[in-house]
Amino acid sequence: MAFDRDRDRDRDREGSDLRDQVVYINRVTKVVKGGKNFSFSALVVVGDGKGRVGYGTGKAKEVPAAIAKGIERAKRKMIKVPLKGRTIPHLVVGHHGSAKVLMRPASPGTGVIAGGAVRAILESLGVHDVLTKCMGTQNPHNVVRATIEGLTSLKDAREIAKLRGVPVEWLDPGTAAAASRPPEEIHGGEA
C-alpha cells in the first residue's frame, strides 16, 4: 500500500513539468434505435521539452474526459530521444502505414518547419531547429506514429562510435581529430 502511494507521488512529481498538446479531436456518432450517441476521441502529445515525448488517444462522452485519458496514456508511453543541442542528431525518415515523415537537422535560428501533428511532437520534445516533410497520408494518427517511429530510430554520436569501434571525435567532420585521420581509415585501406 505504501509502495503504491510512493510510486504515484513519484509519477506526479515527474509529470509536473510535462506539457501536453492536443493534436486532433474527432466526434464519433453511433446511430442506435433511440437516436444518435455522440462520443469524442482525442489524440494528445505530452513532452518535457528535454528529450522525452509520448502520445496517447482517449475516448469519452465529453471532450475534457477524452483529453485527460489521452494525457494519461501518453505519460505511460513516453520515450527518450537523443538531441544534438537544439536539433536532432541526423536525418531520419519514419514510416507508419502510408505515412512517411522526413526530419532533417537544421542550423540554429531556422525554427521548427513542420505541420500540425509533427510540430506538436517536436515542440513537446524540445527541438527548436528542424526541417520536416510529411509524405503519403495526412491522417494525424498515422503521422504521429510515423514521427515517433522516426525519433526512436535516432542515435547519438556516442552510440554510433561504439557500434563502429572508433573514437567519437572521428564522427564530427568539423573537429581537428576528424581532419587528422589517416587516409586509409577514411577510404577503407586505400590511399
Side-chain angles (χ1 to χ4, degrees):
M1 198 80 112
F3 175 72
D4 290 339
R5 275 196 311 252
D6 291 342
R7 189 179 66 212
D8 290 342
R9 191 177 323 120
D10 290 341
R11 187 182 299 148
D12 289 343
R13 195 176 304 127
E14 79 176 28
S16 62
D17 61 342
L18 297 177
R19 53 180 177 225
D20 55 85
Q21 208 165 348
V22 178
V23 176
Y24 184 70
I25 295 178
N26 188 32
R27 188 180 81 174
V28 181
T29 307
K30 180 181 176 185
V31 179
V32 293
K33 184 178 176 184
K36 296 178 180 179
N37 286 345
F38 294 102
S39 64
F40 297 90
S41 68
L43 178 62
V44 183
V45 171
V46 173
D48 65 353
K50 300 173 194 161
R52 288 178 56 221
V53 70
Y55 74 96
T57 56
K59 297 176 188 171
K61 295 285 184 189
E62 301 293 329
V63 174
I67 292 171
K69 287 180 184 180
I71 290 170
E72 284 305 309
R73 290 196 179 111
K75 285 180 184 176
R76 277 188 251 134
K77 294 196 320 187
M78 290 191 76
I79 59 166
K80 180 83 174 126
V81 178
L83 299 178
K84 184 178 179 183
R86 297 165 51 99
T87 188
I88 58 177
H90 56 83
L91 183 136
V92 68
V93 180
H95 301 269
H96 185 273
S98 65
K100 195 187 322 187
V101 177
L102 179 136
M103 292 170 276
R104 178 179 300 215
S107 57
T110 304
V112 177
I113 311 296
V118 180
R119 176 179 287 275
I121 291 175
L122 294 174
E123 287 179 348
S124 297
L125 184 62
V127 174
H128 297 283
D129 300 305
V130 69
L131 303 167
T132 66
K133 180 69 181 169
C134 289
M135 295 166 280
T137 184
Q138 300 301 311
N139 180 334
H141 292 273
N142 288 345
V143 170
V144 165
R145 288 186 176 131
T147 305
I148 293 290
E149 192 269 330
L151 291 172
T152 55
S153 66
L154 284 174
K155 291 182 173 41
D156 66 345
R158 276 185 242 113
E159 284 180 68
I160 295 170
K162 187 176 178 184
L163 288 171
R164 294 183 187 176
V166 298
V168 179
E169 295 80 27
W170 286 8
L171 297 178
D172 191 5
T175 62
S180 66
R181 286 173 54 188
E184 61 272 1
E185 291 177 0
I186 297 171
H187 300 292
E190 301 171 16

